[in-house]
Amino acid sequence: MNSDFLVIGSGIAGLSFAIRAAEHGTVTILTKGKAMESNTAWAQGGISAVLPEGLREKGDNVESHVADTLDAGAGLCDKQAVQTIVEEAAETIEELIACGVDFDKHGEEFSLGKEGGHSHRRILHSKDTTGHEIAASLLETVRKNPKITILEEHFAVDLITSGKLGMVSEDRILGAYVLDEASGDVNIFRSDRVVLATGGCGKVYLYTTNPDSSTGDGLAMAWRAGARVSNMEFVQFHPTCFFNPAATGAKARSFLVSEAVRGEGGILRDANGYEFMEKYDARKSLAPRDIVARAIDHEIKKTGAQCVYLDVTHKPKGFMQDRFPHIYKTLLEFGHDCEKDPIPVVPAAHYQCGGVVTDVNGKTDIRGLFAIGEVACTGLHGANRLASNSLLEGHVMARLAMKEILRIHPFSKPDPEAPEIPAWEYGDTAPPDEMVVIYHNWDEIRRLMWDYVSIVRTTNRLERAAHRLVNLRKEVRSFYWGHRVTSDILELRNLVATASLVVDCALRRKESRGIHYTLDFPDKDPRACVPTTLRRF
């Protein structure tokens, strides 16, 4: 299948880019599950933006948003990338509203929220399902456009580059091999302009707020194709994931209780009702996520408790039902009334701050390959993402990437002649007993990452993880090359690659900074204040 643009992923970044790209050519969007199964659709909190004068909170400005982002990033942000993305925020809000996104208002004014690390109220939201509202509105626009083809349950296996086909004079993108999950066939999707918008890698950990689709696919594909990867040691853990051992099902184990709840006055307490955050930071429950997650982790380990509690019982009756109806209703489904009893919470893997190295326009090392949104590492987040900057980044990068692609790959200039792409070679079908091993490996990767590479790390634990991952990579490689590929095998392959990149980056950082905290190097080292960058040779 040929198209002018090939977009892999269906979150805010991918959908926003596709809408723009359709003004210039044909677009194919690939998503390995359903189109609404994205990190965007699961996002509760909101999108940060300094609005024009008269619409923003008094005293807020772009410089303040930049300063908050740099502070959260603990010295590793790219200041120019931060400035560019924050300055584009007001335009992003205008475009999302034009696409049908309905942000909450008080009368004629936007209802602005405040979250950890922000000095002002600048978070626009749609109740507590902001991401779902954005994804649904963008997807409706996409489905109406005849120049956009969206293919669900199509899993991108690997990127195709001229270098992989043996050309030595250049390395450019040619397309991707893609598994049709319904038929089991692997087909060639040809394009000279490929955009990775695949989100993050939360499912590499045992406990995560991410959907099941977040297995690091785009990151792993770009890495195998030869693109640089950076700052993968910085995996952000959300402090407040619902904890209830009596609740069953994947949703119960990964249900996020938005940071906006703390922004609206929610208080973190221990099992005895003590407000423990004042011991760790003057901002208490509104400290940045890395501080709050480590504090909760420390309290749980110190006391032997299974969780801590997020208390909103002091808020007026009906407040949670009105401001956070999705959270309130979901907790009720699990038998918990948060207006009567504090919410039991634990930290969980939430956001990938590192990723494929790009500039602010999404351009990677490989000609024609762009990465936007969570899969990319622009330098916006540094060592710790400021809350609600991610949806903003995805939308802004889609806009900037489109401009850059038109600049360096204009349609007035014909695409270079493509070499012949060989058809996919199929292996044998994996026997049922070996499929059990695949599921075991999946579980083992996630457990060892949780035990050895989570909120608090040590060199010894990281080395244990690295040693086991070497063996797991060998086992996964034999499955991949020896059997007919399935979505399970592909996800396992990407998980082990992504886990290895996280561990390798973590071992290289001999200091504690942002959300990378190691007991062996508990302080910041000014000499280490540089990105951790890996390249496959």
Side-chain angles (χ1 to χ4, degrees), residues 428-469:
D428 297 326
T429 301
D433 61 330
E434 294 194 357
M435 292 304 294
V436 172
V437 180
I438 290 175
Y439 300 141
H440 175 83
N441 285 353
W442 170 290
D443 186 66
E444 184 174 353
I445 291 169
R446 298 179 67 210
R447 286 184 181 277
L448 77 86
M449 289 296 289
W450 185 260
D451 290 340
Y452 298 149
V453 201
S454 56
I455 299 170
V456 177
R457 302 164 178 175
T458 68
T459 301
N460 183 52
R461 291 181 206 158
L462 292 173
E463 289 175 346
R464 284 177 180 268
H467 177 75
R468 183 59 192 130
L469 284 168

Side-chain angles (χ1 to χ4, degrees), residues 350-465:
H350 184 59
Y351 193 85
Q352 169 189 305
C353 290
V356 182
V357 174
T358 73
D359 62 12
V360 76
N361 305 306
K363 187 168 66 173
T364 72
D365 301 322
I366 300 170
R367 183 183 171 196
L369 177 66
F370 284 69
I372 57 178
E374 189 174 354
V375 69
C377 182
T378 63
L380 171 66
H381 305 304
N384 185 23
R385 176 183 68 108
L386 181 66
S388 290
N389 268 358
S390 48
L391 292 176
L392 172 64
E393 180 187 39
H395 193 273
V396 170
M397 287 192 76
R399 182 161 61 246
L400 298 180
M402 189 69 249
K403 294 178 182 178
E404 182 69 2
I405 288 177
L406 292 177
R407 185 185 72 80
I408 62 180
H409 301 290
F411 282 89
S412 58
K413 181 180 178 181
D415 293 330
E417 185 176 346
E420 183 178 351
I421 299 174
W424 183 261
E425 295 184 12
Y426 293 93
D428 297 326
T429 301
D433 61 330
E434 294 194 357
M435 292 304 294
V436 172
V437 180
I438 290 175
Y439 300 141
H440 175 83
N441 285 353
W442 170 290
D443 186 66
E444 184 174 353
I445 291 169
R446 298 179 67 210
R447 286 184 181 277
L448 77 86
M449 289 296 289
W450 185 260
D451 290 340
Y452 298 149
V453 201
S454 56
I455 299 170
V456 177
R457 302 164 178 175
T458 68
T459 301
N460 183 52
R461 291 181 206 158
L462 292 173
E463 289 175 346
R464 284 177 180 268

Side-chain angles (χ1 to χ4, degrees), residues 55 84 245 258 261 283 355:
L55 298 176
T84 298
S258 171
V261 174
R283 291 164 288 189

Side-chain angles (χ1 to χ4, degrees), residues 240-319:
T240 53
C241 183
F242 174 61
F243 175 81
N244 187 347
T248 59
K251 184 178 181 182
R253 293 193 301 273
S254 60
F255 181 64
L256 171 68
V257 181
S258 171
E259 183 157 2
V261 174
R262 284 180 284 129
E264 296 295 340
I267 299 170
L268 287 166
R269 303 186 186 278
D270 62 19
N272 297 316
Y274 176 71
E275 185 181 353
F276 61 86
M277 275 306 303
E278 60 187 14
K279 296 186 297 184
Y280 299 92
D281 194 279
R283 291 164 288 189
K284 300 181 182 179
S285 294
L286 274 176
R289 289 177 177 176
D290 61 319
I291 296 172
V292 178
R294 279 199 301 274
I296 294 174
D297 182 73
H298 185 262
E299 288 293 316
I300 288 174
K301 289 176 178 174
K302 180 182 72 174
T303 64
Q306 291 184 295
C307 63
V308 296
Y309 297 87
L310 180 58
D311 187 8
V312 291
T313 58
H314 57 286
K315 302 295 287 185
K317 183 173 177 56
F319 171 80

Side-chain angles (χ1 to χ4, degrees), residues 181-210:
E181 296 180 54
S183 68
D185 296 330
V186 176
N187 301 307
I188 296 169
F189 280 69
R190 176 78 175 85
S191 181
D192 293 294
R193 303 167 186 84
V194 176
V195 176
L196 294 175
T198 51
C201 63
K203 291 299 285 190
V204 79
Y205 284 94
L206 187 61
Y207 301 109
T208 177
T209 63
N210 292 181

